[in-house]
Every structure is written in structure tokens, then in C-alpha cells.
Amino acid sequence: MARDFDYLLKKHGREGSRQVFEDACAKAFSKEFEDAFPIECNPGDEGIDVFVGDFSEKIDVYQCKCFFYEIGDSQVSQINSSFKKATESKEYKLKKWVLCVPKSLTIQEAKWWSKWKKRKEEKFKIKVDLMDSVKLLNLITKHNLHLEIFDEEELILLNQILDELTTKKQRLKEIFEVPVEMDFSDKLFTLKLKSANINEHLDVFNKQFFNAEILTKEVESRNIQNELKELKSLRSVLNEVWLTQYMLYDDEFDGNRLLAIVNKRIEDLNDKDILKTKLDISSSEKKGIMHQLADECTVGWVKNYKERLKEFLK
């Protein structure tokens, strides 16, 4: 399944995803229009994230607002502020103003947008448009940027490995080495480890994560409901195993002990009913599933791990 903007939010968090979203829009518009250029974000950006055209003539302005959840009063206020900057700027003349958001609008939001757009177009005699998540994703895909923006090279490589093994009719029970071309250094689970001062044995954790990804792809490709339920149930139980240890943990800076405790708990429970599945999943793959959960920002290795990760990324 192709990734979308929610993946950026999960990987980079609310603050980090804003810059990544703006960069993604800039890359897409630069591919679509040969005279499209991003403007550096600072107090003097004149309400522009990306513009198309030449300042000697009227230009199209693209304003990227990283609104993942809703367009409420606060978001409308930000939109009005950006639009006001663009229409009142002394640095350029406006031909078209486009709002870019990483979501699809609800019915109420669409009704608001329709009225707001009509009002602004009539008052300022310019074209006003919206690029929602669907339009942006179509543009990103059109110019083959989705592989880079959403880290889909990794998904393609996993599918290639799965296809090859299926062709050979091999059983996917062995533990595979991570291909040299696959880099997990920017993955959220790796950043979680580093933010918790877990800097040793990262190659081992990468291997565990990689094999959990292969397992997941294998189960999903077969699309057998019982197997899918088994895997979902296992993920839930592993999350509970982590939660019990996490609630007893109080270190906000070093997660080495928590990771070791959770891994030991998985090893101890591996052959017990609580972690036993019909899928015959190894303890290494179960540890990898734990890193998958970390990559989804469901688990972490220090107390208040989300706040610690934000500080680490800054």
C-alpha cells in the first residue's frame, strides 16, 4: 500500500513534518513548472512558500499549510494572515493564490472553503485555488517523487525480495541480512534508539526490523484473514509487554536498560502461549515488530519518549 502524508507525520512528528511537507511541495511544483521557485522561510517571505512566474510580472503564489487534522478557527486565522500578506505585498503583484494542505476537506471545511474562495476572488480579482492531499499526491506521483519523499524505495526492495523468495518457493523462516543498499539511519525507530542514547548494536536492531518487515509483507501478500488477525493480535500483545515495563521505568535519558528488559521478556515468553502464534514467528522477528511499533511512534525507550525525540531532532 502506497504511503501518504500521514507517514510524514508519524516519521517526523508535528514540527518536523511541517518542513518536510513544504519541501515536498516545493519539489513537486519545481517539476511541474520550470519557473517555480521556493522562498526561504523567514519574516520577510511576503507570504510565499513557492512562487511561479517572474517578479517583473504577476505571479502565482503557493502557500503550504501543514494542517493534518482539521481546518478550524486557528487554521483559518493562519490562512487569512498568509493571504493578507500576499495581497498587500509591495514586492510583487498577485495573479493566483493557492493553498496547499496535506488532508482532504470535510464537508464543513469544504463549505467554508467554497464561500471563502468566492469572497476573496470577487474582492481581489485574482484566482484562488486549493491543492488538497489527493491533488498533491497525484502531482508527487506524476513526477516520481513519492519514492524519495515517502521512503518507498524500501517498500519496493522488500517486495522484490518477497517476489524472489516466492518464485523459489522458499519458506520465509530464515533470518535475512539487511541488503547493503537499504539504509535505516533516518527511520523513526532508529532515531528513537539514538534519542534514548542507544548507540550500540544498531546493526542488530536494523536486522530485526528488516525481518519483521519481510514477515509483515509476506502475511499481507497472502491476505489470509486468520493470519492477518494473528499478526495484529501479536502486535497488540507485544505492545502490552512493552507498556508494563515502560510504566515501571523512570529514566528520561537512557533507554538501554528498558530495551534490554523488553527483549529479555520477549525471549522468556517466546514459547509461552501469550506470544505463541500459528505463524511460527521467531523471537528476533518479534523484537523487530517492537521496532516497527517504535517506527509508528507507538512505543519508545525512555520516559516521555515523544518529548525526548523532539529535543533530539532539534
Side-chain angles (χ1 to χ4, degrees):
M1 183 179 294
R3 290 169 173 165
D4 57 20
F5 291 114
D6 286 343
Y7 172 75
L8 300 183
L9 182 62
K10 289 177 181 178
K11 178 178 179 181
H12 301 284
R14 181 173 293 188
E15 289 301 316
S17 60
R18 181 182 65 81
Q19 186 60 54
V20 175
F21 173 66
E22 290 178 5
D23 290 345
C25 291
K27 289 175 182 177
F29 295 135
S30 295
K31 288 283 189 180
E32 181 73 4
F33 310 106
E34 61 179 20
D35 55 349
F37 304 94
I39 293 293
E40 182 179 352
C41 182
N42 61 58
D45 63 11
E46 295 294 321
I48 301 175
D49 286 322
V50 179
F51 76 91
V52 177
D54 189 305
F55 278 112
S56 64
E57 301 175 351
K58 290 184 177 181
I59 64 171
D60 297 341
V61 168
Y62 289 80
Q63 181 65 219
C64 307
K65 293 297 184 185
C66 201
F67 302 150
F68 283 99
Y69 302 111
E70 65 173 355
I71 299 180
D73 292 342
S74 174
Q75 290 75 26
V76 169
S77 176
Q78 293 179 55
I79 293 169
N80 281 325
S81 176
S82 295
F83 186 82
K84 186 172 186 245
K85 276 186 183 180
T87 54
E88 295 181 355
S89 176
K90 304 299 183 183
E91 300 294 332
Y92 61 88
K93 293 182 179 179
L94 191 61
K95 178 173 66 176
K96 180 180 179 182
W97 190 87
V98 183
L99 174 65
C100 306
V101 293
K103 72 183 295 296
S104 295
L105 303 191
T106 65
I107 291 178
Q108 294 304 316
E109 290 167 349
K111 289 172 69 176
W112 165 81
W113 170 257
S114 180
K115 292 178 182 178
W116 187 89
K117 165 184 160 73
K118 183 178 180 181
R119 204 164 55 242
K120 299 301 182 185
E121 286 183 330
E122 290 177 350
K123 180 177 180 180
F124 294 97
K125 308 304 179 186
I126 61 171
K127 176 70 175 174
V128 176
D129 208 349
L130 173 71
M131 293 283 288
D132 65 0
S133 60
V134 175
K135 291 182 179 179
L136 288 170
L137 288 170
N138 285 340
L139 189 61
I140 286 169
T141 303
K142 173 183 175 182
H143 295 293
N144 294 317
L145 294 169
H146 55 292
L147 301 180
E148 172 191 352
I149 294 170
F150 300 114
D151 301 328
E152 290 190 358
E153 297 98 331
E154 165 200 323
L155 291 177
I156 291 172
L157 185 54
L158 282 169
N159 283 327
Q160 289 173 346
I161 292 171
L162 183 60
D163 289 343
E164 182 179 345
L165 292 170
T166 302
T167 300
K168 293 179 179 179
K169 297 183 179 179
Q170 287 184 236
R171 299 183 69 192
L172 306 188
K173 282 191 173 184
E174 63 180 288
I175 299 299
F176 298 94
E177 296 296 331
V178 180
V180 293
E181 64 267 35
M182 189 168 281
D183 181 15
F184 292 144
S185 59
D186 288 333
K187 294 289 289 184
L188 190 56
F189 85 91
T190 302
L191 298 175
K192 284 269 193 69
L193 291 167
K194 291 181 178 179
S195 70
N197 288 303
I198 302 173
N199 297 304
E200 296 183 357
H201 313 300
L202 293 179
D203 56 333
V204 175
F205 307 139
N206 286 344
K207 187 175 179 179
Q208 292 169 349
F209 176 83
F210 175 64
N211 280 275
E213 290 282 274
I214 291 178
L215 166 72
T216 302
K217 295 294 293 183
E218 180 191 7
V219 173
E220 289 177 348
S221 68
R222 285 201 297 263
N223 198 30
I224 299 174
Q225 290 304 308
N226 286 342
E227 292 187 354
L228 291 169
K229 289 178 181 177
E230 284 262 321
L231 184 59
K232 182 179 180 180
S233 176
L234 176 62
R235 286 168 59 88
S236 177
V237 172
L238 286 169
N239 202 333
E240 291 179 12
V241 169
W242 165 83
L243 181 60
T244 300
Q245 305 305 322
Y246 176 74
M247 292 177 69
L248 298 171
Y249 203 69
D250 56 8
D251 197 317
E252 294 187 6
F253 300 99
D254 192 322
N256 283 277
R257 189 163 58 88
L258 177 57
L259 177 60
I261 291 170
V262 171
N263 281 344
K264 181 65 166 59
R265 190 69 179 142
I266 290 174
E267 291 170 3
D268 292 342
L269 295 173
N270 189 47
D271 293 326
K272 303 291 195 304
D273 287 343
I274 188 171
L275 287 185
K276 189 176 290 186
T277 72
K278 296 177 182 178
L279 295 171
D280 194 17
I281 301 174
S282 69
S283 63
S284 180
E285 289 167 318
K286 289 169 184 172
K287 293 173 185 175
I289 292 174
M290 197 68 74
H291 291 302
Q292 285 181 316
L293 294 173
D295 202 60
E296 298 165 7
C297 220
T298 306
V299 310
W301 305 114
V302 289
K303 209 68 177 177
N304 301 318
Y305 60 88
K306 292 183 179 179
E307 288 74 13
R308 183 74 189 96
L309 178 64
K310 289 179 183 177
E311 293 172 6
F312 176 77
L313 292 175
K314 288 179 183 178

